[in-house]
Amino acid sequence: MALFSKDIKTMEDLYLHMLQDIYYAEIQIEKTLPKMIDKASEGALRDAFQSHLQETRGHVERLEQVFDMIGEKVKGATCPAIDGIIKETEEVSGEIADQNVLDAALAAAAQAVEHYEITRYGTLIAWSQELGRGDCATLLKQTLSEEHAADEKLSNLAEARLNKAA
């Protein structure tokens, strides 16, 4: 089902599709973070990625709870946006020989992922509330808070160390 396809007729359909989209994205992120950990040389960056990998596993679990709360099967919907961000990350990181520059690039790529997630979770929270699903909004707010914190951590790390070293 593509976004804005004829299969989406109601707000509930749209909401479910967005849940499936971010679920797919979180699964892809969970698969990609170990590769980013392996490529990063700066200890604090690796630690940030490792910490976010653990958080991402929690994000997946929360989304599974939301699917259960709304009585829907846990299922992802292919998300071309996250696939594109991950593909770009892999392409760029494969072209950089200088480890300091690579670390800066990895941090920037991770922030692109965070920003995508922030937009999706913000939308899902608003839609949860609109649909009278405050219970779902509460779970999604926990994840959104972690995404904001990860973005801030990456910004601080890039500005204090990574960008200067590059």
Side-chain angles (χ1 to χ4, degrees), residues 7-163:
D7 297 332
I8 298 175
K9 294 181 170 66
T10 67
M11 187 63 171
E12 289 82 3
D13 294 341
L14 184 59
Y15 181 75
L16 177 60
H17 179 76
M18 187 71 70
L19 281 172
Q20 293 169 338
D21 174 280
I22 195 64
Y23 184 76
Y24 173 90
E26 292 286 13
I27 296 295
Q28 298 313 306
I29 294 162
E30 186 177 17
K31 290 177 185 174
T32 301
L33 274 167
K35 297 173 195 171
M36 294 176 74
I37 292 166
D38 288 344
K39 288 182 178 188
S41 68
E42 213 283 336
L45 180 61
R46 279 200 330 258
D47 291 347
F49 288 162
Q50 186 64 46
S51 173
H52 200 60
L53 176 58
Q54 296 308 316
E55 287 178 343
T56 299
R57 291 177 178 142
H59 301 168
V60 168
E61 290 173 9
R62 279 190 208 119
L63 287 168
E64 290 170 351
Q65 289 176 29
V66 172
F67 278 107
D68 187 53
M69 291 161 77
I70 65 170
E72 292 289 343
K73 180 179 140 192
V74 175
K75 177 182 155 190
T78 302
C79 173
I82 203 66
D83 287 341
I85 292 169
I86 290 170
K87 181 180 178 187
E88 180 182 41
T89 299
E90 291 170 348
E91 288 174 359
V92 169
S93 65
E95 297 171 2
I96 299 173
D98 184 300
Q99 193 62 50
N100 290 327
V101 175
L102 177 58
D103 285 343
L106 289 170
Q111 283 193 278
V113 169
E114 295 306 327
H115 291 195
Y116 177 77
E117 292 175 295
I118 288 167
T119 65
R120 288 299 191 229
Y121 282 108
T123 297
L124 281 167
I125 291 164
W127 290 352
S128 293
Q129 293 166 337
E130 184 66 30
L131 294 169
R133 297 307 310 235
D135 53 346
C136 297
T138 298
L139 280 179
L140 297 168
K141 283 178 185 177
Q142 292 174 21
T143 300
L144 180 60
S145 177
E146 290 173 359
E147 301 295 7
H148 277 294
D151 180 51
E152 186 173 341
K153 181 188 261 185
L154 288 166
S155 285
N156 292 338
L157 184 59
E159 291 170 8
R161 296 158 83 167
L162 300 177
N163 297 343

